[in-house]
Amino acid sequence: MRSSQFFISTLKEAPNDAEIVSHQLMLRAGLIKRLAGGIYTWMPLGLRILRKVENILREEMNHAGAVELLMPAVQPGELWQESGRWEKYGPELLRLKDRHQRDFVVGPTHEEVITDIVRRDVKSYRQLPLHFYQIQTKFRDEIRPRFGVMRGREFLMKDGYSFHASFDDLQREYRNMFDTYTRIFTRLGLEFRAVAADTGSIGGTGSHEFHVLADSGEDALAYCSDSDYAANVELAEALAPTKPRGAAGESMRKVATPNQTRCEDVANYLGLPFEKTVKAIAVMHDEAFTLLLLRGDHTLNEIKTGKLPGLDPFRFATDAEIERFLGCQLGYIGPVGVDPAKVRIIADRTVAAMSDFICGANEAGFHLTGVNFGRDLPEPSIVADIRNVVAGDPSPDGKGVLELRRGIEVGHIFQLRTKYAEALNCSFLDENGQSQFMEMGCYGIGVTRIVGAAIEQCHDERGCIFPAAIAPFTVCIVPMGYAKSETVRTAADALYTDLQAADIDVLLDDRNERPGVLFADMELIGIPHRIVIGERGLKEGLFEYQGRRDTEAKMVPAREIIAFLKARLCAA
């Protein structure tokens, strides 16, 4: 491709509303242009990247035995009403009516549609298993679209759905997809981790998320460098302390802590360790009031907590409810002296092993020190893992300690089981002629999000650094004075033709611009390999080569440049 026959539109500065690096660089490099909040046009450069990602996905999905189809973006509302998600999905579901006042939705996902297809055509176990996938535009009406394509309303997604006669066969395909996704993200050239995850609104049982590792990631990941263990923090188990609770060594005392409402501030005020404090979090389930006890320096894991009996779902108590049940204001509440008939106590595993701890006194301006279970308050009614893990916690697999990193979710696989098959009556006749609901799996990859995640992981002050597999072009030729020098123009055209013949994806930047503009644009766009052709080098039979990650350029004999590039590409 020649720049003069293509479309390159770069910006020196990103718009003020571009919040993160990928959003800034995608706009500056001319990969996308904003049409409306969370809705973007993919410009020619950006579209080339998308298509390369799609090609890798198709090759691996086809190799794994899945069959591609394309389902409608607009779906009848009656399918969503039948599955029960018409109301449950919430305001992210864009609902509309046609001219006959029939309900439709713009699909955020396609479980209902694919299940309807299969239930109409598949009747026997002999027709199973099946795995369909598509690469198609989705729409989710985010309340606050942000971060460019990372949290947009319209996005491109690869979604796949498998159907099985048994759970064992679903597990087989789940492992097949886990391996397939691992190959996909490896081929994309991204540093990633697969982590055990919560199933969320999709439902089902087991699931794994695939995260591109980046400091800007929204998700916290816990992993063990000494094993294969990895999980989203919302799911990672915080093990109980191995040491038994120590014996009480202090008497309980009420101490004044005026205006000290945070555990850290109370500890500092009293000159005691932060780790000795216990915070009480008041929550409600229907009309039942519960105090959750966490060590002061730990944070509540709402996903784990919401799965406990009697707390599905829960909400945080209001100030009025706290006053009604405890007779105290927020910031000084605690578990000592509460009425067990009215207040349930759930302690985190770490708190249950604490002695001589500090907590609120249920009196404004006061806390208690030297508090012990069994002596000063009853043993908690429930002890459970309700906190987020922290770096240094023991790994749940017993093979080391946990480390934390940030990640950007780009893929998710689920064992849906029979959730949608039962709701939509998707059944088959087994070997004995008995009707059974199909087991289902669901497998998604955010295609547009991959592009943003790749930039978040790989960039510098000059712009994007795309892995070769998905870069808009693999090599760029930057001639110095293409319009003015016949010698340079002849050499650049010849190299361009040779690279095309070698099946190397090449851009010849033949624009009549200053060298500084050409260099800056190619670096901003993130093309992995650059060849500069100038009259001085040509006199010596040399081209200048520089990789996008290289700190310095090197001179390469012109007659060796094709072999040199092929070697670099193979090594990448």
Side-chain angles (χ1 to χ4, degrees):
M1 182 66 65
R2 294 173 180 268
S3 293
S4 58
Q5 297 173 335
F6 197 55
F7 184 82
I8 296 176
S9 177
T10 58
L11 301 172
K12 290 185 177 180
E13 301 291 337
N16 292 331
D17 61 349
E19 302 167 273
I20 60 174
V21 168
S22 60
H23 193 192
Q24 296 165 358
L25 291 180
M26 291 182 79
L27 290 170
R28 286 191 56 213
L31 307 184
I32 57 173
K33 289 192 181 296
R34 182 183 183 275
L35 179 63
I39 302 175
Y40 293 88
T41 298
W42 283 80
M43 302 302 289
L45 274 172
L47 187 60
R48 288 182 67 89
I49 301 168
L50 274 186
R51 294 294 181 249
K52 290 187 176 184
V53 174
E54 286 182 38
N55 289 341
I56 291 174
L57 297 185
R58 282 195 173 91
E59 288 175 8
E60 292 297 338
M61 291 300 295
N62 294 342
H63 176 74
V67 180
E68 186 174 10
L69 48 58
L70 184 62
M71 291 177 275
V74 177
Q75 307 173 20
E78 62 191 35
L79 275 179
W80 284 73
Q81 292 160 1
E82 188 178 355
S83 73
R85 290 208 294 176
W86 177 258
E87 296 298 338
K88 286 183 180 178
Y89 204 91
E92 287 185 7
L93 184 64
L94 183 61
R95 299 165 173 85
L96 55 101
K97 291 182 181 292
D98 68 5
R99 67 178 66 193
H100 303 293
Q101 297 303 300
R102 292 175 297 207
D103 289 317
F104 286 85
V105 304
V106 181
T109 182
H110 277 71
E111 284 83 4
E112 283 80 3
V113 176
I114 194 66
T115 305
D116 181 60
I117 291 170
V118 172
R119 72 178 175 178
R120 293 171 182 268
D121 290 342
V122 178
K123 304 300 180 184
S124 169
Y125 72 95
R126 293 186 179 90
Q127 297 170 274
L128 299 172
L130 290 169
H131 187 152
F132 297 108
Y133 80 95
Q134 65 173 349
I135 299 175
Q136 195 237 37
T137 299
K138 312 286 190 190
F139 191 93
R140 295 178 187 169
D141 199 5
E142 295 276 355
I143 188 171
R144 182 172 170 255
R146 60 193 190 281
F147 307 150
V149 301
M150 303 295 286
R151 185 67 69 181
R153 292 195 291 168
E154 183 181 276
F155 54 94
L156 193 65
M157 182 176 178
K158 191 287 297 180
D159 51 323
Y161 308 92
S162 64
F163 296 80
H164 308 269
S166 69
F167 181 46
D168 285 345
D169 195 58
L170 166 59
Q171 290 180 307
R172 174 201 57 76
E173 185 64 6
Y174 188 86
R175 289 190 294 271
N176 180 32
M177 282 298 103
F178 186 98
D179 294 340
T180 299
Y181 275 37
T182 298
R183 289 194 300 271
I184 286 171
F185 292 112
T186 299
R187 284 187 60 185
L188 290 172
L190 301 172
E191 185 185 2
F192 70 96
R193 272 195 176 268
V195 301
D198 186 70
T199 56
S201 64
I202 298 294
T205 54
S207 79
H208 282 82
E209 293 174 352
F210 288 77
H211 287 259
V212 169
L213 301 181
D215 292 338
S216 59
E218 290 187 280
D219 295 300
L221 312 177
Y223 69 96
C224 178
S225 58
D226 297 322
S227 71
D228 293 332
Y229 178 82
N232 196 304
V233 164
E234 69 186 12
L235 201 66
E237 182 183 8
L239 298 180
T242 56
K243 292 183 180 180
R245 181 197 299 164
E250 303 174 18
S251 298
M252 185 175 72
R253 294 188 308 117
K254 185 169 75 171
V255 295
T257 52
N259 301 317
Q260 308 301 317
T261 58
R262 296 170 60 246
C263 285
E264 186 174 10
D265 295 336
V266 170
N268 289 335
Y269 183 81
L270 298 177
L272 295 172
F274 190 13
E275 296 80 7
K276 295 286 287 183
T277 62
V278 169
K279 58 187 170 189
I281 301 173
V283 299
M284 301 290 295
H285 172 70
D286 295 330
E287 293 302 313
F289 184 89
T290 299
L291 279 184
L292 307 174
L293 304 184
L294 287 174
R295 201 172 78 180
D297 59 331
H298 289 162
T299 57
L300 180 69
N301 185 306
E302 297 183 32
I303 299 295
K304 295 178 186 177
T305 303
K307 293 178 179 179
L308 295 178
L311 286 181
D312 182 17
F314 75 89
R315 61 174 174 81
F316 295 103
T318 65
D319 290 347
E321 288 167 334
I322 292 172
E323 178 70 32
R324 175 157 57 96
F325 283 96
L326 299 177
C328 182
Q329 68 185 61
L330 191 65
Y332 299 98
I333 64 176
V336 177
V338 301
D339 184 350
K342 297 180 179 180
V343 180
R344 184 171 63 154
I345 303 293
I346 297 178
D348 180 65
R349 291 168 172 173
T350 303
V351 172
M354 292 174 65
S355 58
D356 296 330
F357 56 84
I358 309 161
C359 65
N362 287 323
E363 183 179 342
F366 290 91
H367 281 77
L368 300 173
T369 64
V371 180
N372 287 271
F373 287 109
R375 186 193 69 184
D376 306 314
L377 73 165
E379 296 290 342
S381 53
I382 296 177
V383 175
D385 172 23
I386 58 172
R387 71 173 175 91
N388 289 324
V389 296
V390 295
D393 277 344
S395 177
D397 64 2
K399 297 181 180 179
V401 298
L402 295 177
E403 301 176 45
L404 300 184
R405 286 199 64 176
R406 308 298 300 181
I408 300 167
E409 182 190 342
V410 290
H412 206 160
I413 60 177
F414 301 85
Q415 295 177 23
L416 293 177
R417 300 298 308 271
T418 61
K419 174 182 177 179
Y420 294 95
E422 290 184 31
L424 296 165
N425 194 27
C426 183
S427 61
F428 68 99
L429 295 180
D430 65 15
E431 295 177 356
N432 300 315
Q434 299 297 311
S435 180
Q436 305 285 349
F437 289 117
M438 295 182 199
E439 296 275 356
M440 284 181 61
C442 172
Y443 319 96
I445 290 179
V447 182
T448 46
R449 180 176 272 206
I450 282 174
V451 181
I455 296 172
E456 290 294 329
Q457 186 177 89
C458 305
H459 67 271
D460 61 17
E461 69 282 356
R462 294 173 290 168
C464 309
I465 306 177
F466 280 109
I470 61 174
F473 295 94
T474 305
V475 178
C476 61
I477 302 171
V478 182
M480 298 292 94
Y482 182 87
K484 298 178 181 178
S485 170
E486 183 177 350
T487 302
V488 169
R489 185 165 57 253
T490 300
D493 289 346
L495 178 59
Y496 175 64
T497 301
D498 290 343
L499 289 174
Q500 285 185 313
D503 200 27
I504 294 174
D505 192 16
V506 58
L507 174 69
L508 172 57
D509 199 352
D510 57 354
R511 294 176 295 166
N512 188 19
E513 295 280 1
R514 294 177 292 105
V517 172
L518 302 181
F519 290 159
D521 280 354
M522 294 303 102
E523 290 178 331
L524 174 62
I525 292 167
I527 298 176
H529 307 276
R530 185 183 74 195
I531 299 170
V532 178
I533 300 177
E535 286 189 339
R536 182 181 302 176
L538 288 174
K539 289 178 182 178
E540 301 176 20
L542 300 173
F543 291 156
E544 179 185 295
Y545 167 84
Q546 186 166 359
R548 181 60 182 82
R549 294 179 181 274
D550 296 343
T551 56
E552 295 182 356
K554 65 181 299 182
M555 304 307 293
V556 179
R559 63 182 181 277
E560 300 175 9
I561 192 66
I562 302 293
F564 174 84
L565 278 173
K566 286 183 176 180
R568 290 296 296 255
L569 295 178
C570 290

